[in-house]
Amino acid sequence: MVYSPSRVSEPPAPVFRERNRGTTVQNLPLSHLSVEVGHFFMEELENGEEPIFEQFRRVKPWLDAAKASVVSGDEKPRVSTCFLIDDYFQSWPDAPSIMIKLLRLSEEAGVTIDYVARESACARRRDGFVVAELLAKRLLEEPEPDLDTGARPPAMVSGWLSNGKPMREAVVLNAMEAHNWDAPLEYGKRNHSIYVDVELWQDRADLATDQDDLQKGRQYSCPFLAAVWQLVRLGLLRKDGAPALEVVDFDGEWKPEWSQFPDVVRVNPRAMPFYAYESLSIMPQHFLPIETAVRTIIDHFLVQPDVMESLDLRAAEKNIAVPAVISERMSHHFLPGRK
Amino acid sequence: MQRPDASWVEPSPSQPQVALGTVATGLLNTSEPLPLDAAQQALALVPGVKADWRQYPLEQVVSPDLFYGLDCRLAVKSGSQPRIIGTARAKAILTAGHVLQGSARVDVLLDASKRRLSWSHYMAHAGTAEAINKADPSDIETGFLRGQSGKSLLDLGSTGAYVMSLLDQVPQIDRRSRLKTQSQRLLWAAQVREDVEPFGRIEAGEDGIFRVRMVTPSALLPQFVEFCEILALHHWLLASLKNAFDRSARKGRRAEGELDPALSYLGHVWNPTAHLPHEMRWLWDALDDEAQLSWEWHTTLTRVRDKVTLLTRKAIEETLHKEVL
């Protein structure tokens, strides 16, 4: 049987419409560029003032250059600065004095910090919501050439994410061939492979009795949390349409424990918006491998389509050129030297 | 070593020329229809995003889109099978709290590049797959609709079925459906062209699968897909009701055991124009004029109700007879 109807005349216009969007994407206040002005391990924040001052001093000219070259379309440039406290893997006491010292030294070096965030909040917010799982559940592994037909369910169970296929020992057919193996492969390679495999988290399966338990005990890796941090700054990680981490104003007092700090706090009342179309991170060069891992993770992040649309629409209205690929919205400057 | 510069990025045309999809339809394995709020929770399949929903004239909840990585081949009549790389999108749709659909789709951009690019490129165009070699759109359409399976061939049917299977695990269902039904598939393929009047053609195959072939401007593609989902749902309703009626006539079966759940689960769901996009009414009207699906539904439903009435009368008579004795 074949039915091939022809088009008939237009019916009258509809009068009833109903489509309830489960989630409405919030329009965020946006800067053109969010600059991360340096990064320290917790023990570096604890010990001595000189190295801290020194890093901020070296950040300063690059921050100025970034401000001078920001892409802002038809608008007056808006740039905000931020700093991420490394409190997830080591949480030292004496939070208030560290914060006061940090803000004073950055100011002395000519670098104004507008916003301070905690790395722990990128795993779990102060209200208990596990932000990291928003990213974990939105990662899509790369399909294997000629094998992924849509029939294989996605598997993100190992806690590792790669851009290809690892090296494999091949079956040894002949005892004389001692070293027989398949080379690793980057699926999107150009001529030669750079195979990257990133540890996203570690589960303590021995302590867990069910899935919930497993997730509670999950320890996220530094690149994974940094990827959350980048996506939050770019306004791309949302919960029910609102930013995954929200900004609050500084209330004038630093609480004694890091865990009592807000997720993201505005310390400069005159700051431009925290979220931005693009991001720049200025940091010592020993963070380069971590940031490579961050980019690998973000290259596998499936953004909520209407979130991306809402940002792109606003950028287009103001003639701001924003790349379609998320990792192209991020840039880095690595400071030379050891620290 | 080559210096990385702009020439690294191969230019790609922006508009997919072909879209391919399947809609799998089945019954949610639960004894009573899921209330709206439970359905909303069950279909929130992506954390941080809630499901879309409608209440009039029939409750319907639609999950957020899920994406699946693809690197596979497309079936074609002749020549080498084009390789496509990218992502397919799929969603779950629950209608009247009981009819579950897995709708999977991929938009295909032909002649896009010469090799597989970095994954971030495909992630920036989620829902689209890019073909590496040249291919003819109508050849791809025909190849896909044939529904051929092969080790490396695109298999959206499994994607749709997988999305449906996600609902097997939700705590909101009791896994105690009283009606036997079979899941059913519809295949569709569309050529996307801006310069044409929309055109649709539906074919009922020997295998019981409906196949929809369309030519449409890109602006109407979402409505065309909705039409296919609605057609799949009603084709499944019709088949399920007919099957239940047939089973009720078989020896050794309690007829009420087949007819009661069929009536209470399916009897009220038929309403093809309920959520049909306005722009697609002409296609449904024309189809129903020729294939008379609505007529068949109402006739079958009448037969089911007549049979229930007769069975009831018989039962009353038997009871009275016993009392007289």
Side-chain angles (χ1 to χ4, degrees):
Chain A
M1 285 180 284
V2 174
Y3 315 106
S4 52
S6 59
R7 184 114 204 234
V8 291
S9 61
E10 289 289 329
V15 295
F16 177 69
R17 204 186 127 72
E18 185 201 21
R19 186 74 193 236
N20 302 299
R21 309 295 306 183
T23 297
T24 313
V25 174
Q26 242 181 56
N27 260 334
L28 303 180
L30 288 165
S31 286
H32 299 108
L33 183 69
S34 155
V35 188
E36 182 176 11
V37 287
H39 193 70
F40 299 94
F41 292 123
M42 187 57 93
E43 69 260 27
E44 293 169 331
L45 287 177
E46 188 75 357
N47 303 329
E49 298 200 349
E50 187 52 31
I52 300 175
F53 175 79
E54 186 54 26
Q55 191 183 113
F56 282 127
R57 198 187 58 76
R58 293 197 297 147
V59 163
K60 171 85 164 76
W62 299 106
L63 172 61
D64 292 342
K67 281 179 178 167
S69 60
V70 63
V71 176
S72 65
D74 299 340
E75 297 182 300
K76 216 172 134 228
R78 296 187 300 272
V79 178
S80 66
T81 64
C82 55
F83 188 89
L84 185 69
I85 299 276
D86 190 6
D87 69 331
Y88 184 69
F89 296 96
Q90 288 172 295
S91 186
W92 295 51
D94 213 12
S97 71
I98 288 180
M99 280 317 302
I100 289 162
K101 179 170 78 176
L102 184 77
L103 292 175
R104 172 172 55 79
L105 291 171
S106 64
E107 206 62 51
E108 281 173 18
V111 174
T112 303
I113 295 175
D114 294 334
Y115 300 91
V116 176
R118 290 182 306 119
E119 194 171 26
S120 296
C122 295
R124 184 186 289 266
R125 289 198 309 218
R126 198 163 56 151
D127 66 4
F129 177 75
V130 185
V131 176
E133 287 302 303
L134 287 178
L135 173 57
K137 297 272 160 56
R138 284 192 158 274
L139 290 176
L140 182 60
E141 283 186 304
E142 290 187 34
E144 215 174 318
D146 262 0
L147 270 180
D148 273 305
T149 61
R152 290 205 307 181
M156 178 64 69
V157 286
S158 63
W160 286 81
L161 178 75
S162 78
N163 64 352
K165 208 171 164 161
M167 186 187 93
R168 252 180 237 159
E169 296 286 335
V171 181
V172 181
L173 295 173
N174 183 343
M176 296 303 284
E177 293 174 49
H179 197 65
N180 210 348
W181 56 288
D182 288 337
L185 172 71
E186 176 193 359
Y187 290 145
K189 76 181 164 108
R190 177 159 190 123
N191 302 327
H192 296 91
S193 284
I194 301 170
Y195 175 72
V196 178
D197 210 340
V198 180
E199 183 170 24
L200 306 174
W201 58 73
Q202 263 177 34
D203 281 331
R204 294 167 198 162
D206 49 324
L207 301 175
T209 53
D210 61 12
Q211 203 59 37
D212 267 3
D213 238 23
L214 197 67
Q215 208 191 80
K216 266 183 215 144
R218 183 168 285 183
Q219 190 185 45
Y220 300 96
S221 71
C222 173
F224 189 82
L225 296 178
V228 172
W229 167 237
Q230 289 281 3
L231 291 169
V232 166
R233 286 163 67 198
L234 292 170
L236 294 173
L237 199 65
R238 307 282 182 107
K239 179 178 187 284
D240 302 331
L245 294 182
E246 303 214 47
V247 178
V248 299
D249 283 324
F250 182 51
D251 62 5
E253 183 204 359
W254 296 108
K255 303 282 188 302
E257 297 289 333
W258 294 109
S259 59
Q260 295 168 310
F261 277 36
D263 302 325
V264 183
V265 57
R266 172 162 54 199
V267 290
N268 173 13
R270 288 184 309 280
M272 289 296 169
F274 170 71
Y275 310 99
Y277 291 110
E278 298 193 74
S279 74
L280 164 68
S281 293
I282 306 173
M283 51 182 57
Q285 63 176 341
H286 61 257
F287 288 108
L288 198 149
I290 292 181
E291 295 303 317
T292 302
V294 170
R295 300 185 83 95
T296 303
I297 295 169
I298 287 178
D299 283 343
H300 294 78
F301 168 70
L302 270 166
V303 64
Q304 195 185 327
D306 44 1
V307 168
M308 199 66 159
E309 247 163 60
S310 81
L311 288 177
D312 287 354
L313 211 65
R314 286 171 64 197
E317 276 169 15
K318 305 289 182 192
N319 271 321
I320 304 162
V322 187
V325 173
I326 297 172
S327 56
E328 288 172 15
R329 298 181 178 196
M330 302 156 36
S331 58
H332 289 87
H333 179 79
F334 294 104
L335 299 167
R338 219 171 69 78
K339 289 283 171 193
Chain B
M1 191 177 145
Q2 235 174 321
R3 189 186 135 83
D5 58 23
S7 69
W8 271 64
V9 182
E10 290 164 34
S12 52
S14 52
Q15 193 72 36
Q17 301 92 331
V18 184
L20 307 169
T22 64
V23 186
T25 308
L27 189 73
L28 184 68
N29 188 8
T30 193
S31 55
E32 295 301 324
L34 225 51
L36 186 61
D37 54 342
Q40 286 166 333
Q41 289 165 18
L43 273 83
L45 296 174
V46 180
V49 191
K50 294 201 169 91
D52 293 347
W53 52 282
R54 284 159 157 160
Q55 231 174 331
Y56 305 102
L58 206 60
E59 282 181 4
Q60 186 172 67
V61 181
V62 181
S63 80
D65 280 343
L66 302 165
F67 294 88
Y68 299 90
L70 295 177
D71 185 335
C72 58
R73 306 273 168 176
L74 294 176
V76 283
K77 212 164 44 232
S78 57
S80 67
Q81 297 170 333
R83 176 181 171 201
I84 56 165
I85 302 150
T87 52
R89 77 176 70 206
K91 62 186 172 188
I93 307 165
L94 185 67
T95 306
H98 233 156
V99 187
L100 179 63
Q101 295 182 286
S103 178
R105 152 186 175 189
V106 62
D107 297 352
V108 183
L109 192 64
L110 298 175
D111 202 16
S113 56
K114 297 274 176 279
R115 61 174 188 96
R116 177 160 161 169
L117 305 175
S118 67
W119 188 235
S120 57
H121 169 80
Y122 303 104
M123 292 292 271
H125 306 93
T128 301
E130 299 186 358
I132 282 192
N133 354 36
K134 276 197 199 306
D136 172 44
S138 68
D139 198 5
I140 289 178
E141 249 191 336
T142 312
F144 178 75
L145 289 179
R146 205 177 290 144
Q148 216 177 312
S149 59
K151 190 172 151 270
S152 325
L153 287 180
L154 175 67
D155 181 8
L156 289 177
S158 298
T159 317
Y162 175 72
V163 172
M164 283 172 80
S165 76
L166 294 176
L167 273 291
D168 291 341
Q169 299 145 22
V170 297
Q172 287 83 4
I173 65 162
D174 61 16
R175 294 178 197 80
R176 277 159 51 191
S177 159
R178 298 192 303 279
L179 180 66
K180 273 194 220 90
T181 61
Q182 280 179 343
S183 284
Q184 198 167 279
R185 229 166 9 127
L186 173 145
L187 302 178
W188 61 264
Q191 283 188 49
V192 185
R193 281 162 55 183
E194 304 307 326
D195 55 343
V196 290
E197 276 283 285
F199 167 83
R201 197 179 143 102
I202 297 107
E203 203 176 309
E206 287 170 5
D207 50 7
I209 294 178
F210 271 21
R211 292 174 166 84
V212 185
R213 193 186 261 272
M214 339 184 253
V215 180
T216 173
S218 55
L220 272 183
L221 184 59
Q223 286 90 326
F224 253 118
V225 178
E226 273 186 82
F227 167 84
C228 292
E229 289 160 355
I230 289 165
L231 175 58
L233 181 115
H234 289 84
H235 182 213
W236 176 87
L237 277 177
L238 187 56
S240 301
L241 189 65
K242 276 158 72 180
N243 285 341
F245 186 76
D246 291 348
R247 282 198 307 269
S248 76
R250 276 187 215 150
K251 270 193 186 151
R253 302 251 182 170
R254 273 186 70 240
E256 310 90 280
E258 304 290 345
L259 297 179
D260 290 2
L263 268 185
S264 67
Y265 284 16
L266 312 176
H268 60 293
V269 185
W270 186 273
N271 192 348
T273 52
H275 301 139
L276 187 69
H278 199 66
E279 302 88 338
M280 287 296 120
R281 281 180 182 259
W282 63 274
L283 186 55
W284 175 263
D285 290 346
L287 170 67
D288 209 26
D289 189 43
E290 294 180 43
Q292 306 250 347
L293 300 174
S294 297
W295 176 86
E296 198 177 357
W297 167 263
H298 292 298
T299 307
T300 311
L301 191 60
T302 308
R303 292 180 77 192
V304 170
R305 290 199 170 128
D306 286 350
K307 189 156 184 183
V308 171
T309 312
L310 293 172
L311 288 168
T312 313
R313 202 184 67 187
K314 206 170 137 199
I316 294 171
E317 279 172 0
E318 277 169 9
T319 317
L320 288 174
H321 187 63
K322 274 182 206 156
E323 280 175 14
V324 169
L325 285 176

